[in-house]
Structures are given as C-alpha cells and as structure tokens.
C-alpha cells in the first residue's frame, strides 16, 4: 500500500469510521469503496439488540407501573408504615425503587448494547451515521419521561431509515414517543378542536370557581422541526408559520394508560382526531387542505425537499465528517445531490465520499468525548462488557453523557463550543482508564500505535512510547497523543 492509499485508509477508519482496529488500516483496500458500500446498506447490529423491549412494550410496562404505584399509595394510606432504610442509611422512596425494579435491567442492557456495537462493529461508517442522525434528532433523558425511549428511538426510527428517504426517517422520529414526550407534543390540543370545545363547556358548567387546566396549542415540536430538524435557523419562516404548523400537528400523540391497560393498542403512536385543529393551514405561503394526520405529513414532505433543508443537512454532515468549517463547494455538492435524488440519504452520503475535499490532508476533526472512548475501545480491543456504568461515567466526566444534551440542538460538532480549559487533563485521565483495560500479553505498544494511527503517527510519539517505563504507561501515552485525539 502506498503512502497516499494508507492515509486515505486511516482517514476512512478514524475520521469517517469510529476508530481503527489494530492492523485494519493496512488491510482496508479502497477506502472510498469501503465507505460507499456502507452508505447504501443497513448498519449491522451484531444481534446486540435482540430481546430488548420496543417502545410499545415500554409504554405497557409504564401503565403497569402506574397501577402498582396507585396500589402502593392506597396501601400506605390505609396502614402508614415507617420508611425503609437503604444501604446508605437514607430513607428509600418506594415509588422510585419500583421504577428501578421494573426498568433498571432494561436500561443497563440498552446502554450496554450501544457500547458493544461501537466497539465491535465492522460497518463503522454506517454506525457513525446512526449516531450523527441520533444527535441531529436529539432528545435528552434529563427529562424523566424520555428516559426509557431515547435508545429505542435510535434503533426504531433512525437505524431502519439510515439508507432510505430522509422523509421516512423524519416521520418515524416525529411520531416516536421519545420526541413526542421531549417536546411536549402529547399535550398539544387544537384551540377549536372537539376536545378543546368539550373541555371548555365542562369548565363553563363548574360552579365551584376553582381553576382548571385549560387545553391549548403547544408549539415546541413545530418550532424545533423547522429550526433544527429540517429548514435550519437561517431559513426565512415566521412565527405565524410555526403556529400554523403546530396546528397541523395537533392530534399527534401517544396511547393513554387506559387504552394500554385495555389492550386496544398496536402501535406506540396514536393520532387523536378529537384533538386535531380543524380547517386549512398556511405554511411558507402554501395552503394545506388535508385532513387529520395527513396534513402535518404533507407539510413535512415539503420541508424534507426544501432547498434550505438540503443545505442544512449537508452542512451538518460535512461539519461532522470533514471540518468544523467545511468548504461551501462541498456543502453545495452534497445539497444538490440530495435534492436531485428526491431526498435519498445515500445520495447525500455519496456526494460527501466522492468529493476531493473529504480526503484532503487538511480534513480533520478533534475527537468528541464519545469518539475518544469508542476509538480507544476499538484500538485496544477492549471488551466493554455488560456493565456500561464505567464508560457512561467517563462520558459524564468529559461533559457529554449519552442522550443528555442540554438542548434540543444536541451536542455541537464545533470543538470550540465544548473543549473546556480543563479538557486536556480529563482526556489524560480517560487515556489512563483505557490503558488499564487493554490486554497486554504479547502487546507491543509501538506496533499498536502504527496499526491504529497509520501514516499520521509522529516520530516524537514513537520515541515517547519507547521510553515508557511499562506497557500500561506507553498505552496511556498513545491514547493521550495528539494523533489519537484527532480524527485525521
């Protein structure tokens, strides 16, 4: 393999992929063809998700949890008992304990499956795309009702549509319980809908003068779809467009606990005609006269093919894969390919992979906390095991815990936004933690460095590895080296 081919292979594995396994750079072959194959096929899952509940299962178990909580409260009301004391000597909240008993094992399995797949995947470019879209459609588990659904949204709404139409992924995400709950869509009711009018009449009959909850429009989902998921911040839409779109989205909701308990439900999404705002809406100057669920779907179809959306998606993906400031000619080429294909995501990926800028020596990204940890697992052939807590703890320490961005915009891809002054020291600590988990029998750290970094490996780093007092120290130096901290 020539120097140029070796550099492209290293870029494919370390910048476009999730990090090279030892020796993979030399064995890769045609780097562009390797990535293109993954851009048009479904990401492998290695069977790690087998047996995990789907979102409908979780909704049903939540309904059962509510029943058990009501029973627990009734029992406590009849015969008050002293609080149980935990191992830490503090009172135990029985309702919280019930939640952990019912869902704790599932949440650990969800997290463990993602770590296993990241460490072992043989289609790492496809896996990077999964994580890119998951962050594009960000939800955060710091909003408690979302906690059970963030990981399922990735495997139910992102993975199946990775190599299809963006519109299909968009619909699947916006109708998923994670997004409906995160952006409060389940509470949005058309002001003139049959449901709102019925509640208004009920309130008017009340004689006790007590305030009651009045139903109304919630614009959160409509605003974030337009600003973050499709058109982008710079698109020329108005507050009136957001409000009209929010009216079209009314009725997009979830099954109720009563419906789940009665066994009448077959899907985790439920359209409620009684909550839908009747009549036409006008968005971006176009009138939509569809009825029911189809009205918002028609708007989303137009959003998916809007030039602003094409540019927004292309710009974000180029920023993620090539540079914090991708050249406009790359973004233009990707946006044009996307629109020419009718919104097919493989066309967007192919335009990225077939552009010379993507493979230029200047293309580089500093590894995010998640990238750094995953690349370390892959380079060191570390088995993340079935207990994800240590890895999740390291991500928390580095400031980017899994599924917990502080805004619907997700984690930013521009390093200046998240590289804190103390980041270097924390990354050294992560390098040491990774080095402790590498199996060192028969391992030669300098050969490993060459095997996972490739032509970008500097003589200074090789010298430092040679002078290390122990293999563990050499591995920590490798993981902390500038070459390993960057996706080049």
């Amino acid at each position: 393999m020539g120097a140029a081919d070796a550099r492209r292979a290293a870029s494919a594995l370390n910048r476009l992929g999730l990090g090279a396994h030892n020796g993979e750079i030399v064995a890769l072959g045609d780097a562009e063809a390797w990535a293109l194959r993954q851009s048009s096929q479904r990401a492998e899952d290695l069977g790690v998700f087998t047996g995990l509940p789907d979102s409908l299962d979780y909704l049903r178990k939540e309904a059962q949890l509510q029943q058990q909580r009501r029973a627990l409260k009734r029992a406590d009301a009849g015969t008050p008992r002293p609080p149980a004391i935990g191992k830490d000597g503090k009172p135990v909240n029985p309702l919280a304990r019930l939640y952990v008993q019912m869902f704790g094992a599932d949440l650990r399995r969800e997290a463990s499956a993602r770590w296993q797949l990241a460490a072992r995947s043989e289609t790492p470019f496809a896996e990077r795309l999964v994580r890119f879209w998951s962050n594009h459609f960000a939800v955060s588990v710091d909003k408690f009702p979302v906690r059970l659904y963030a990981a399922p949204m990735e495997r139910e709404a992102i993975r199946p549509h990775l190599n299809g139409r963006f519109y299909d992924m968009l619909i699947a995400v916006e109708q998923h319980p994670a997004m409906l709950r995160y952006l409060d869509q389940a509470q949005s009711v058309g002001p003139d809908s049959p449901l709102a009018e019925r509640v208004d009449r009920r309130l008017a009959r009340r004689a006790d003068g007590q305030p009651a909850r009045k139903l109304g429009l919630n614009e959160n989902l409509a605003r974030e779809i337009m600003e973050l998921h499709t058109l982008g911040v710079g698109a020329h839409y108005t507050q009136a467009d957001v409000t009209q779109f929010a009216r079209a989205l009314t009725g997009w909701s979830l099954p109720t606990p009563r419906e789940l308990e009665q066994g009448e439900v077959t899907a985790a999404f439920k359209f409620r005609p009684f909550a839908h705002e009747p009549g036409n809406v006008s968005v971006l100057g176009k009138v939509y006269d569809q009825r029911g669920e189809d009205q918002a779907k028609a708007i989303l179809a137009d959003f998916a093919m809007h030039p602003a959306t094409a540019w927004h998606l292309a710009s974000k993906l180029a920023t993620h894969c090539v540079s914090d400031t991708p050249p406009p000619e790359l973004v233009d080429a990707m946006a044009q390919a996307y629109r020419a294909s009718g919104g097919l995501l493989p066309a967007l990926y192919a335009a990225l992979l077939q552009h010379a800028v993507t493979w230029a020596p200047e293309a580089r990204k500093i590894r995010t906390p998640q990238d750094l940890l995953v690349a370390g697992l892959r380079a060191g052939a570390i088995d993340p095991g079935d207990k994800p807590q240590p890895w999740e703890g390291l991500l928390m320490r580095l400031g980017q815990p899994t599924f917990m961005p502080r805004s619907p915009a997700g984690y930013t891809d521009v390093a200046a936004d998240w590289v804190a002054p103390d980041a270097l020291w924390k990354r050294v600590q992560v390098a040491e933690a990774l080095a402790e988990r590498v199996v060192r029998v028969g391992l030669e750290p300098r050969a490993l460095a060459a095997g996972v970094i490739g032509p970008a490996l500097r003589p200074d780093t090789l010298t430092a590895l040679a002078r290390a007092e122990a293999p563990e120290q050499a591995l920590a130096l490798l993981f902390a080296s500038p070459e390993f901290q960057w996706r080049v």
Side-chain angles (χ1 to χ4, degrees):
M1 175 181 281
D5 289 339
R7 186 180 59 76
R8 286 169 70 93
S11 293
L13 290 161
N14 286 325
R15 178 158 47 80
L16 301 176
L18 297 178
H21 291 126
N22 190 10
E24 202 174 12
I25 293 173
V26 174
L28 188 71
D30 187 327
E32 184 178 313
W34 172 86
L36 276 171
R37 282 195 298 275
Q38 296 174 52
S39 73
S40 58
Q41 66 186 43
R42 185 168 175 168
E44 62 177 351
D45 63 20
L46 300 175
V48 298
F49 302 127
T50 302
L52 282 170
D54 62 22
S55 289
L56 184 54
D57 293 330
Y58 281 130
L59 286 171
R60 286 180 172 135
K61 289 177 73 174
E62 274 193 312
Q64 294 167 10
L65 176 69
Q66 289 187 20
Q67 284 183 324
Q68 293 181 32
R69 283 180 164 177
R70 287 195 294 270
L72 195 61
K73 286 180 178 177
R74 284 195 298 270
D76 280 351
T79 55
R81 292 170 291 184
I85 303 300
K87 294 179 180 177
D88 57 0
K90 297 179 180 177
V92 175
N93 181 337
L95 301 182
R97 183 168 59 184
L98 203 56
Y99 184 92
V100 172
Q101 289 172 347
M102 186 167 280
F103 297 115
D106 287 335
L107 289 170
R108 285 193 296 275
R109 287 174 61 207
E110 295 275 10
S112 176
R114 290 186 89 249
W115 284 108
Q116 286 286 348
L117 191 51
R120 295 161 46 201
S121 174
E122 296 296 327
T123 56
F125 177 58
E127 193 60 31
R128 173 168 294 285
L129 293 173
V130 169
R131 288 160 185 259
F132 167 78
W133 290 116
S134 192
N135 188 57
H136 177 78
F137 293 109
V139 296
S140 182
V141 297
D142 61 3
K143 191 166 187 172
F144 195 79
V146 178
R147 194 175 182 193
L148 288 174
Y149 302 94
M153 189 179 92
E154 184 177 275
R155 56 187 167 84
E156 295 170 348
I158 302 292
R159 289 184 179 278
H161 303 291
L162 186 69
N163 302 118
R165 291 189 304 167
F166 175 69
Y167 169 76
D168 294 325
M169 184 187 288
L170 183 64
I171 292 291
V173 166
E174 311 305 354
Q175 293 189 340
H176 198 275
M179 192 62 74
L180 293 171
R181 285 187 168 187
Y182 181 50
L183 295 175
D184 307 311
Q185 176 61 28
Q187 287 79 48
S188 185
V189 172
D192 300 315
S193 67
L195 178 58
E197 290 179 352
R198 187 170 66 188
V199 171
D200 286 346
R201 288 195 297 272
R202 187 179 300 166
L203 292 177
R205 290 197 298 269
R206 290 187 66 158
D208 56 9
Q210 295 298 313
R213 188 168 70 93
K214 186 176 176 64
L215 302 180
L217 195 66
N218 188 302
E219 298 181 350
N220 289 353
L221 181 62
R223 179 173 293 104
E224 303 306 359
I225 287 175
M226 298 177 78
E227 181 176 319
L228 300 175
H229 302 168
T230 59
L231 305 173
V233 175
H236 300 292
Y237 58 83
T238 65
Q239 174 57 40
D241 291 318
V242 173
T243 301
Q244 289 282 292
F245 181 34
R247 287 172 178 258
L249 281 168
T250 49
W252 286 38
S253 188
L254 302 167
T256 64
R258 175 173 295 182
E259 290 168 338
L260 290 159
E261 290 167 9
Q262 292 173 345
E264 301 172 348
V265 177
T266 58
F269 170 76
K270 175 89 174 181
F271 179 72
R272 300 190 175 284
F274 267 42
H276 182 66
E277 178 73 359
N280 301 343
V281 298
S282 175
V283 180
L284 300 179
K286 180 177 177 179
V287 175
Y288 294 86
D289 59 3
Q290 295 83 359
R291 294 292 173 260
E293 179 186 350
D294 290 342
Q295 190 173 52
K297 281 186 169 180
I299 298 170
L300 287 170
D302 286 344
F303 283 175
M305 287 310 304
H306 196 283
T309 298
W311 175 269
H312 182 53
L313 301 183
S315 179
K316 284 193 70 173
L317 185 59
T319 301
H320 183 74
C321 290
V322 177
S323 165
D324 284 5
T325 53
E329 61 266 30
L330 172 62
V331 178
D332 271 336
M334 294 170 64
Q336 289 176 20
Y338 171 85
R339 293 194 70 208
S341 72
L344 289 173
L345 291 174
L348 182 71
Y349 310 147
L352 167 76
L353 296 173
Q354 292 171 339
H355 202 288
V357 167
T358 300
W359 303 98
E362 297 77 19
R364 55 172 45 211
K365 297 281 297 184
I366 191 166
R367 279 185 161 134
T368 65
Q370 187 177 106
D371 280 334
L372 179 62
L373 269 173
V374 169
L377 294 176
R378 295 174 69 86
I382 300 170
D383 181 355
D386 59 2
K387 293 182 173 57
Q389 294 90 337
W391 310 112
E392 297 293 338
L394 287 172
L395 282 182
M396 181 73 78
R397 194 184 305 171
L398 289 169
Q400 291 193 357
T402 305
F403 294 131
M404 204 183 291
R406 298 304 179 194
S407 93
Y411 289 120
T412 170
D413 247 324
V414 178
D417 293 339
W418 53 266
V419 175
D422 62 346
L424 183 58
W425 171 237
K426 290 180 178 176
R427 283 171 172 256
V428 170
Q429 291 177 314
V430 168
E432 292 172 342
L434 286 166
E436 291 174 359
R437 300 290 290 270
V438 177
V439 176
R440 294 184 287 278
V441 177
L443 183 68
E444 209 296 294
R446 286 177 296 178
L448 175 63
V452 299
I453 293 175
L457 183 61
R458 298 176 309 145
D460 288 352
T461 299
L462 277 174
T463 300
L465 298 183
R467 291 175 177 170
E469 296 178 356
E472 184 176 316
Q473 185 185 46
L475 290 168
L477 287 170
L478 165 61
F479 294 138
S481 68
E483 302 97 305
F484 199 83
Q485 296 289 321
W486 286 82
R487 296 160 47 202
V488 296

